[in-house]
Amino acid sequence: LKLRLYSDLATWWPLVSPPEGDLEQAQFLFQLLTHALGRRPGGVLELGSGGGGVASHLAPHVGSLTLVDIAPEMLEVSKRVNPSAEHVAGDMRAVRLGKKFDAVVLQQAVMYMATPEDLRAAFETAREHVETDGIVVVVPDFVEETFQPSTGVGGRDDPSSGHGLRYLEWRHTPREGESHVTADFAIIARRADGATTLVHDRHVWGLFSRDAWKQALVDAGFPIVQLVDDPWKRDVFLARPGI
Ligand SMILES: C[S@@+](CC[C@H](N)C(=O)[O-])C[C@H]1O[C@@H](n2cnc3c(N)ncnc32)[C@H](O)[C@@H]1O
């Protein structure tokens, strides 16, 4: 199912998630990568880079950035904030770039892996693209142990264009035995002249236990998996290919 947030509404993405809001997340990732590698990261690959907000803050500090997303419209948004990065349209479960990177990052977008098979396929892509002495960082928004059904609102106005966007995000209680959760998004995009577009998107996100995330990494070829917390108390998985 094509999500309108990442297709015909993609140009509105900066009003959903302004790049300024990704600064702290990027700082945390940079410190983590540098510490784990024991050096400043050279080539970094992000799988599911979306609007490129996090990447835009990593860019000045890493050797080079390669950004992969399944939605061409999101890549166009990202190109504006990451003019020097390489952008590639591809599915994180299947893309093969034929080169290796110091670090591979999966965050936010990895939630769209809604079955154990998809999760493993995404991790196999990461395995395929990481140097032997490199690092893979996986930051799920939640694991089964931390997921909470919730309702939230977001969005903002753009004073320069006069456009505005607001959304309601409703995360539902998962059904017994399912490996995913659903979230309904109601989005109102309002143009400067007052014309509005109202959209409903249903997002389906993977719901796996901490052990299942770890095991999927092991199964994809990472014998060494370490678990740390980020400043927002989320689980962060660090995976190394080993020798
Ligand atoms: C919330 S956005 C990511 C935001 C991004 N991390 C940032 O810093 O702006 C989620 C992205 O995941 C992408 N996505 C979903 N499934 C994907 C897949 N199978 N392969 C690659 N990208 C995918 C969507 O197209 C969307 O751009």
Side-chain angles (χ1 to χ4, degrees), residues 6 46 49-50 52-54 69-71 74 90-92 107-109 113:
Y6 304 140
E46 185 175 357
S49 46
V54 171
D69 201 279
I70 201 168
M74 291 299 277
D91 186 328
M92 69 170 84
Q107 41 111 22
Q108 299 176 337
M113 301 299 104

Side-chain angles (χ1 to χ4, degrees), residues 113-123 179-180 206-208 212 216 219:
M113 301 299 104
T115 65
E117 294 74 25
D118 283 353
L119 193 63
R120 180 173 166 165
F123 291 163
S179 73
H180 64 265
L207 185 70
F208 308 107
D219 292 345

Side-chain angles (χ1 to χ4, degrees), residues 2-238:
K2 199 167 180 177
L3 291 170
R4 294 189 59 187
L5 191 56
Y6 304 140
S7 52
D8 61 302
L9 286 186
T11 51
W12 295 83
W13 181 253
L15 298 187
V16 178
S17 175
E20 307 88 89
D22 294 318
L23 177 62
E24 287 182 6
Q25 164 80 356
Q27 283 170 337
F28 165 75
L29 275 175
F30 176 69
Q31 280 165 13
L32 190 69
L33 290 175
T34 307
H35 186 258
L37 287 167
R39 59 182 184 272
R40 181 188 273 259
V44 176
L45 168 67
E46 185 175 357
L47 295 172
S49 46
V54 171
S56 70
H57 301 292
L58 282 178
H61 309 292
V62 303
S64 64
L65 272 177
T66 301
L67 305 178
V68 170
D69 201 279
I70 201 168
E73 297 91 339
M74 291 299 277
L75 290 168
E76 289 308 312
V77 175
S78 177
K79 282 178 194 171
R80 265 173 245 141
V81 285
N82 292 293
S84 60
E86 184 186 0
H87 287 84
V88 182
D91 186 328
M92 69 170 84
R93 294 166 292 189
V95 71
R96 294 295 179 265
L97 303 174
K99 52 182 166 177
K100 299 209 186 265
F101 299 83
D102 243 5
V104 180
V105 175
L106 297 101
Q107 41 111 22
Q108 299 176 337
V110 74
M111 300 317 291
Y112 291 93
M113 301 299 104
T115 65
E117 294 74 25
D118 283 353
L119 193 63
R120 180 173 166 165
F123 291 163
E124 282 171 355
T125 301
R127 177 71 184 82
E128 196 68 29
H129 291 92
V130 69
E131 298 279 8
T132 320
D133 63 347
I135 188 87
V136 173
V137 179
V138 183
V139 193
D141 289 343
F142 49 79
V143 297
E144 194 173 15
E145 291 86 342
T146 58
F147 177 77
Q148 294 285 348
S150 60
T151 308
V153 292
R156 61 167 192 160
D157 300 321
D158 175 11
S160 62
S161 65
H163 297 339
L165 179 143
R166 296 291 185 277
Y167 66 86
L168 166 76
E169 174 184 351
W170 184 10
R171 296 184 177 191
H172 306 293
T173 306
R175 292 209 193 123
E176 195 71 36
E178 283 186 346
S179 73
H180 64 265
V181 292
T182 55
D184 285 307
F185 278 71
I187 306 157
I188 304 176
R190 186 178 189 279
R191 299 188 178 281
D193 65 5
T196 54
T197 306
L198 173 63
V199 167
H200 169 228
D201 261 351
R202 175 160 295 171
H203 296 241
V204 181
W205 295 321
L207 185 70
F208 308 107
S209 68
R210 236 168 234 137
D211 281 351
W213 281 91
K214 240 183 188 172
Q215 193 58 47
L217 283 162
V218 172
D219 292 345
F222 296 99
I224 309 160
V225 181
Q226 202 187 338
L227 183 57
V228 297
D229 269 355
D230 75 4
W232 304 274
K233 299 265 169 266
R234 286 178 308 188
D235 294 87
V236 178
F237 298 89
L238 288 169

